[in-house]
Amino acid sequence: MAQDNLSALLVKPKDLRLVQTPIPEIQEDEVLLRMDSVGICGSDVHYWQSGACGHFVLKEPMIMGHEAAGVVAKTGSKVKHLKVGDRVAIEPGVPCRYCDFCKTGRYNLCPDMVFCATPPVHGNLCRYYKQAGDFCYKLPDHVSMEEGAMLEPLAVGVHACRRAGVTTGHTILVLGAGPIGLMTMLSARAMGAAKVLITDVLQSRLDFAKQMGADHTLLVGKDSNEADLVKKVHEILGCHPDVSFDASGVVSTVRLSLLATKSGGKALMVGMGSPEVAVPLAGAVAREVDILGIFRYVNEYPIALSMVASGQVNIKPLVTHHFDLEQTLEAYETARQGQGIKVMIHVQPRNTNNPVKF
Ligand code: 572
Ligand code: ZN
């Protein structure tokens, strides 16, 4: 095996470098992966620019990347469901397995979760990475490595829709047409939503959302009047949405999600915004709008994979930019500028591990 383990290391804010790191040694329940595709998440850009995302703060140099797929290069003796050469999607967080949250099936809330590219844990934007075998999901031949990497943001959308209880016939409002808003929209559709309205501040994102299946779009200006927007949402949908998803995290969309949701409906906070926002809480509470949060995903990788493998969702078009590992800085700059939807880094030349060429 080549000793090359080129890795994208964030040394300190605004100082991202490609450096060699040791190839990890695996334990008996782990696999060594030859990394293939790694997407850039909004949080990666936050860490790069400011050294922080939410309450997680960079204190030591950290390898980036958590939306990833790779190929099994070595298996530990206890790993029976995978073999060398298997193409896998990598669920990036491994919980402790022992706490009450883990034991009651809500491992995403485990306080000892080890999650890729969340300080102080290294990510997988490197050539070789080791992972617990049971957090790797074998991809069928017709699912590409890029789709494998994209299961990560899709799992966020699936989790949001499951928390909200999205079901057949629901009318849905999605605030924000970035990757997470789009994944939430696609998941809601796959779960039977009848009508989806998506909003954004950029017309280009709305045009893309329309191509991806949004029934309605609404361009929101920075100076839009809040009451007018609520009225417009109800007019466009012809009703009040059963479920609203805030996928932006900015105060104006969090407020809109509470104001626009049908009485007795659900408002889901999916976006990562400022820690404190002023919201019209009393009105929402009095109308029995359930306000829910999400934290990543739990048990949703297999669901996301079967949605893609069965053709229920098509996430391929969301990958709008492609770079090689050596071009990581350019890739991060593209993501920072908010061009396109998803920037994908190919650790191995594109299509090397796709039996069906895309
Ligand atoms: O892909 C999911 C994901 N989740 C992240 C970060 C990156 N990618 N989270 C870390 C930050 N939290 S947070 O602190 N926050 C809302 C900023 O709770 C959410 C999950
Ligand atoms: Zn992420």
Side-chain angles (χ1 to χ4, degrees):
M1 191 182 294
Q3 287 305 297
D4 171 23
N5 192 24
L6 196 65
S7 309
L9 186 74
L10 181 63
V11 176
K12 57 181 189 299
K14 300 206 169 81
D15 186 359
L16 181 59
R17 302 179 198 171
L18 286 165
V19 299
Q20 287 292 342
T21 64
I23 295 176
E25 295 288 334
I26 59 166
Q27 306 287 316
E28 55 191 5
D29 59 348
E30 293 177 328
V31 293
L32 183 68
L33 298 164
R34 194 153 178 228
M35 297 305 299
D36 182 286
S37 297
V38 185
I40 301 180
C41 168
S43 72
D44 294 322
V45 177
H46 269 286
Y47 287 124
W48 175 44
Q49 285 301 298
S50 71
C53 177
H55 53 278
F56 300 101
V57 180
L58 182 80
K59 294 193 176 120
E60 298 288 331
M62 175 182 81
I63 299 172
M64 304 302 284
H66 62 274
E67 300 180 356
V71 178
V72 175
K74 212 188 244 184
T75 57
S77 58
K78 282 194 176 162
V79 179
K80 302 294 180 202
H81 71 296
L82 293 173
K83 58 182 189 314
V84 171
D86 281 350
R87 304 157 63 250
V88 297
I90 305 162
E91 181 169 351
V94 180
C96 80
R97 304 167 194 266
Y98 287 92
C99 70
D100 282 349
F101 297 107
C102 287
K103 292 185 81 174
T104 55
R106 297 187 74 174
Y107 67 80
N108 58 323
L109 304 179
C110 170
D112 295 321
M113 173 80 86
V114 175
F115 197 96
C116 282
T118 300
V121 180
H122 288 307
N124 47 28
L125 184 47
C126 50
R127 297 222 191 272
Y128 289 97
Y129 181 74
K130 70 169 181 177
Q131 175 66 317
D134 58 336
F135 280 74
C136 297
Y137 303 87
K138 184 171 159 52
L139 299 173
D141 285 355
H142 68 285
V143 174
S144 69
M145 300 305 287
E146 293 86 335
E147 287 173 294
M150 293 286 281
L151 293 188
E152 204 277 344
L154 177 59
V156 175
V158 172
H159 184 55
C161 289
R162 285 186 2 131
R163 285 273 287 152
V166 172
T167 191
T168 322
H170 266 173
T171 297
I172 307 290
L173 169 64
V174 180
L175 301 151
I180 294 298
L182 292 169
M183 290 299 194
T184 304
M185 176 187 84
L186 293 173
S187 305
R189 267 265 178 273
M191 292 177 192
K195 219 185 283 173
V196 182
L197 163 61
I198 191 160
T199 73
D200 204 277
V201 290
L202 293 176
Q203 186 59 46
S204 56
R205 289 198 170 210
L206 293 178
D207 294 342
F208 187 80
K210 200 84 196 255
Q211 283 174 34
M212 293 302 297
D215 299 290
H216 305 284
T217 60
L218 177 61
L219 186 65
V220 179
K222 291 234 177 330
D223 46 4
S224 301
N225 176 278
E226 186 173 80
D228 288 348
L229 280 178
V230 175
K231 218 167 132 204
K232 253 190 215 161
V233 165
H234 295 162
E235 272 169 18
I236 292 170
L237 287 171
C239 64
H240 297 194
D242 298 288
V243 180
S244 299
F245 294 96
D246 169 52
S248 302
V250 297
V251 62
S252 57
T253 57
V254 174
R255 291 178 62 89
L256 195 52
S257 72
L258 299 184
L259 294 167
T261 306
K262 178 181 178 176
S263 295
K266 289 181 169 52
L268 263 284
M269 304 302 133
V270 189
M272 291 189 227
S274 13
E276 292 190 25
V277 285
V279 293
L281 189 62
V285 167
R287 295 192 303 107
E288 294 198 358
V289 172
D290 292 342
I291 304 167
L292 299 171
I294 65 154
F295 195 70
R296 300 173 179 143
Y297 33 75
V298 57
N299 295 311
E300 269 111 4
Y301 253 71
I303 300 172
L305 175 54
S306 68
M307 284 161 73
V308 170
S310 65
Q312 275 180 297
V313 296
N314 179 15
I315 54 175
K316 277 199 218 92
L318 271 64
V319 183
T320 50
H321 292 76
H322 299 266
F323 293 91
D324 295 333
L325 179 61
E326 291 81 355
Q327 300 172 303
T328 291
L329 281 165
E330 216 181 305
Y332 266 71
E333 185 53 33
T334 304
R336 189 186 69 79
Q337 288 170 13
Q339 295 174 25
I341 303 294
K342 182 59 69 182
V343 176
M344 187 63 64
I345 298 179
H346 298 273
V347 177
Q348 298 181 50
R350 196 173 165 188
N351 275 330
T352 303
N353 297 304
N354 290 333
V356 179
K357 303 297 172 207
F358 299 93

